[in-house]
């Protein structure tokens, strides 16, 4: 009986996920958009990244402790940028994508316009929904986070980060769009470089910010569909990066 109950529950979860994916495809297929269903990453104990810890220390006027090995630290190495994981990995920009896919199992979707369908919006904060978007010859990281910026008042923050340098990020513009029940909400901005902290982008509010009531207006049975479009904002000049 226990075995049957567990199997039956797994089948129901699979059917529910496929049903959500079918509904999203039915709504957005007319616009020629690809749909990716993104499950949440939830942590009962939030583990801030190293860049977030360094930023907090700087704001408090306290320098992080100096260790001997930091004296020979390669400044070109990038720490793991996957939120909600205290991952000790670091490497060059060229291998960030492979690390996120292999270690953290983050999906990547290709296309000029896609739909990011975040499930289980009711989960307590902090919770992240993460996906990589391959477009225009570059890879972008979309992070949707549910976080309590003020105690007892969770908010949703959505931002797009380019897996590249700040100079490369300036060449693009991203648009996030919510559209449901005759309501439409758009956010358009230049993506930030993955070399910057996701935590600092969210704390600065330089992203799409939704309170709980506004998120519920655009959600459907606990899922939130976000349309994503990336365009080039200016002609790319390779010499400007040298």
């Amino acid at each position: 009986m226990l075995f049957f109950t567990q199997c039956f529950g797994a089948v129901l979860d699979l059917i529910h996920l496929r049903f959500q994916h079918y509904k999203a495809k039915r709504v957005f297929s007319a616009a020629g958009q690809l749909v990716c269903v993104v499950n949440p990453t939830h942590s009962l104990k939030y583990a801030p990244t190293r860049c977030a810890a360094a930023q907090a220390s700087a704001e408090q006027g306290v320098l992080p402790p100096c260790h001997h090995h930091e004296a020979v630290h390669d400044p070109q190495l990038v720490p793991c940028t996957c939120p909600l994981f205290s991952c000790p990995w670091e490497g060059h920009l060229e291998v960030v994508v492979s690390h996120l896919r292999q270690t953290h199992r983050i999906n990547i979707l290709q296309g000029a316009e896609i739909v990011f369908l975040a499930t289980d919006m009711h989960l307590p904060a902090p919770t992240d929904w993460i996906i990589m978007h391959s477009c225009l010859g570059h890879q972008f990281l979309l992070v949707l986070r549910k976080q309590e910026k003020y105690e007892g008042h969770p908010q949703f923050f959505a931002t797009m980060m380019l897996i590249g340098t700040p100079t490369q990020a300036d060449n693009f513009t991203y648009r996030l769009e919510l559209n449901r029940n005759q309501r439409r909400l758009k956010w358009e901005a230049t993506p930030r470089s993955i070399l910057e902290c996701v935590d600092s982008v969210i704390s600065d509010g330089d992203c799409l910010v939704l309170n709980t009531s506004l998120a519920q207006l655009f959600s459907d049975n606990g899922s939130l569909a976000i349309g994503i479009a990336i365009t080039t904002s200016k002609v790319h000049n390779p010499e400007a990066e040298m």
Side-chain angles (χ1 to χ4, degrees), residues 137-149:
H138 288 77
Q139 283 74 40
F140 301 82
L141 186 70
L142 177 70
V143 177
L144 172 65
R145 174 175 297 176
K146 183 178 183 180
Q147 179 175 311
E148 288 189 359
K149 199 165 185 179

Side-chain angles (χ1 to χ4, degrees), residues 8 23 38 44 49 53 85 121 140 184 186 207 220:
F8 185 68
K23 287 198 305 179
V38 185
L44 295 177
T49 59
F85 289 99
M121 303 293 295
F140 301 82
R184 178 174 296 181
K186 290 184 180 180
C207 56
D220 182 16

Side-chain angles (χ1 to χ4, degrees), residues 49-228:
T49 59
R50 283 174 292 175
C51 60
Q55 180 189 7
S57 298
E59 291 175 352
Q60 296 174 2
V62 179
L63 295 177
C66 179
H67 300 285
H68 176 70
H69 71 275
E70 292 180 350
V72 293
H73 178 74
D74 187 348
Q76 295 182 345
L77 294 180
V78 181
C80 178
T81 54
C82 190
L84 290 184
F85 289 99
S86 55
C87 178
W89 179 92
E90 61 180 7
H92 293 275
L93 274 174
E94 294 79 9
V95 294
V96 169
V97 173
S98 60
H99 168 73
L100 293 176
R101 295 199 67 182
Q102 296 173 8
T103 303
H104 301 297
R105 306 298 182 186
I106 297 180
N107 294 326
I108 185 168
L109 199 63
Q110 298 183 2
E113 296 186 6
I114 65 174
V115 175
F116 177 96
L117 184 63
T119 66
D120 300 323
M121 303 293 295
H122 61 278
L123 288 178
T127 304
D128 279 352
W129 294 260
I130 312 167
I131 193 177
M132 283 190 290
H133 182 189
S134 179
C135 181
L136 301 175
H138 288 77
Q139 283 74 40
F140 301 82
L141 186 70
L142 177 70
V143 177
L144 172 65
R145 174 175 297 176
K146 183 178 183 180
Q147 179 175 311
E148 288 189 359
K149 199 165 185 179
Y150 305 100
E151 185 175 358
H153 299 280
Q155 293 177 299
F156 293 89
F157 304 85
T159 185
M160 181 75 76
M161 312 287 288
L162 171 71
I163 303 179
T165 65
T167 302
Q168 292 173 322
D170 288 338
N171 295 320
F172 299 96
T173 299
Y174 76 94
R175 184 181 73 246
L176 305 179
E177 181 175 338
L178 303 174
N179 190 353
R180 186 174 182 271
N181 292 337
Q182 298 181 343
R183 299 180 179 90
R184 178 174 296 181
L185 180 64
K186 290 184 180 180
W187 167 268
E188 186 172 295
T190 300
R192 304 283 283 271
S193 168
I194 203 70
L195 297 176
E196 305 177 56
C197 293
V198 175
D199 296 332
S200 64
V201 175
I202 290 177
S203 62
D204 293 341
D206 187 16
C207 56
L208 175 63
V209 182
L210 304 172
N211 57 31
T212 304
S213 59
L214 189 58
Q216 289 176 349
L217 287 176
F218 290 98
S219 65
D220 182 16
N221 292 326
S223 298
L224 185 67
I226 304 177
I228 308 171

